[in-house]
Amino acid sequence: MATATSTIEDKKRLVRRLAGSGRGFAEQYGFRVTNNPASLFQLLCLAILLARRGDYRRALDSAHALPDAGWDSAARLARALHEDLVRVLRERGQRGDVEALADLLGDLARTVVQRYRGDLRRLRSAAGYDPDRERELLTALPGVDAAVVELFLREVQALWGEVAPVADRRALAAARRLKLGRSAEDLAVLAGGGESERLAWLVGALARIDLERRYAELPA
């Protein structure tokens, strides 16, 4: 089992390995991370689904199910019939109150359309590119709490550099276990300071290691 990284060179070597794929968490699971309305909304839906309790694989399947069904943007999901959304979520393995989840996703889509014309880049602009204000506006959306914001910003910090450094609880759990640091700031230093894209790749890899319990694959 990996305990890793007693020296700074050991740490840098491991960071190069983890960030070397050039892909963040979402991209590793087949989601595009690009600064366009559809991609940003899909990442927000993914964050909401991952923040729920339960098997993360169901969350990933459900997040993929939305664009697969043609609801690849806030505008398109806002027009989806409630019963169709419930059916698709159930088919992809969602458990519990699926009706409430479908309501939440529908409300989220309609709110993003009403407030930002379906484009979360407008939220960023409305916040004046201020990270604290961006967090406030995000948490004002249906179904978006602090945990969802961390998951969303973990991915989009590669695009919205002003929010960096961001590391969610899973990334930080892996970082502590691998002795890479205890904060997003610690990881940012190892990732190369101001390179928010490389940091996103690093924290994404760490989050995936913790989520999938893949510590044994790392060097001892």
Side-chain angles (χ1 to χ4, degrees), residues 53-130:
R53 292 185 178 181
D55 189 336
Y56 74 92
R57 287 164 294 194
R58 290 177 184 164
L60 293 167
D61 285 346
S62 297
H64 276 297
L66 300 178
D68 288 351
W71 308 319
D72 60 348
S73 67
R76 288 176 176 167
L77 185 57
R79 295 193 296 268
L81 295 177
H82 174 76
E83 55 268 30
D84 289 339
L85 185 51
V86 169
R87 173 182 53 77
V88 166
L89 291 171
R90 283 184 173 148
E91 287 175 351
R92 292 300 182 102
Q94 280 295 324
R95 300 291 183 267
D97 195 346
V98 181
E99 296 271 351
L101 177 58
D103 280 338
L104 185 154
L105 291 173
D107 287 345
L108 173 68
R110 287 186 289 273
T111 302
V112 171
V113 170
Q114 291 163 4
R115 294 181 187 174
Y116 305 110
R117 302 184 200 172
D119 187 349
L120 290 171
R121 294 175 303 181
R122 292 179 179 274
L123 178 150
R124 186 188 185 197
S125 179
Y129 302 89
D130 176 80

Side-chain angles (χ1 to χ4, degrees), residues 18-214:
L18 294 174
S21 69
R23 300 165 68 192
F25 179 94
E27 289 175 319
Q28 289 173 331
Y29 289 109
F31 297 89
R32 296 185 64 195
V33 179
T34 56
N35 198 29
N36 66 60
S39 176
L40 292 171
F41 183 71
Q42 288 172 38
L43 291 173
L44 185 58
C45 290
L46 173 63
I48 286 175
L49 290 163
L50 284 171
R52 290 165 56 85
R53 292 185 178 181
D55 189 336
Y56 74 92
R57 287 164 294 194
R58 290 177 184 164
L60 293 167
D61 285 346
S62 297
H64 276 297
L66 300 178
D68 288 351
W71 308 319
D72 60 348
S73 67
R76 288 176 176 167
L77 185 57
R79 295 193 296 268
L81 295 177
H82 174 76
E83 55 268 30
D84 289 339
L85 185 51
V86 169
R87 173 182 53 77
V88 166
L89 291 171
R90 283 184 173 148
E91 287 175 351
R92 292 300 182 102
Q94 280 295 324
R95 300 291 183 267
D97 195 346
V98 181
E99 296 271 351
L101 177 58
D103 280 338
L104 185 154
L105 291 173
D107 287 345
L108 173 68
R110 287 186 289 273
T111 302
V112 171
V113 170
Q114 291 163 4
R115 294 181 187 174
Y116 305 110
R117 302 184 200 172
D119 187 349
L120 290 171
R121 294 175 303 181
R122 292 179 179 274
L123 178 150
R124 186 188 185 197
S125 179
Y129 302 89
D130 176 80
D132 292 334
R133 183 61 178 150
E134 286 167 359
R135 289 173 180 272
E136 289 176 8
L137 294 180
L138 284 167
T139 53
L141 296 172
V144 180
D145 59 15
V148 172
V149 169
E150 290 304 304
L151 291 170
F152 176 70
L153 294 183
R154 179 188 69 196
E155 301 303 312
V156 303
Q157 69 184 320
L159 308 168
W160 299 3
E162 70 274 8
V163 304
V166 180
D168 68 301
R169 65 178 184 85
R170 286 197 177 276
L172 291 176
R176 289 192 295 270
R177 183 163 176 177
L178 297 171
K179 304 188 187 305
L180 291 176
R182 305 187 64 84
S183 69
E185 289 75 15
D186 291 339
L187 294 174
V189 170
L190 289 173
E195 296 184 22
S196 60
E197 186 175 50
R198 185 173 174 82
L199 174 62
W201 298 342
L202 173 60
V203 296
L206 289 170
R208 188 180 185 191
I209 286 166
D210 190 69
L211 189 66
E212 297 182 355
R213 313 308 294 172
R214 293 171 51 225

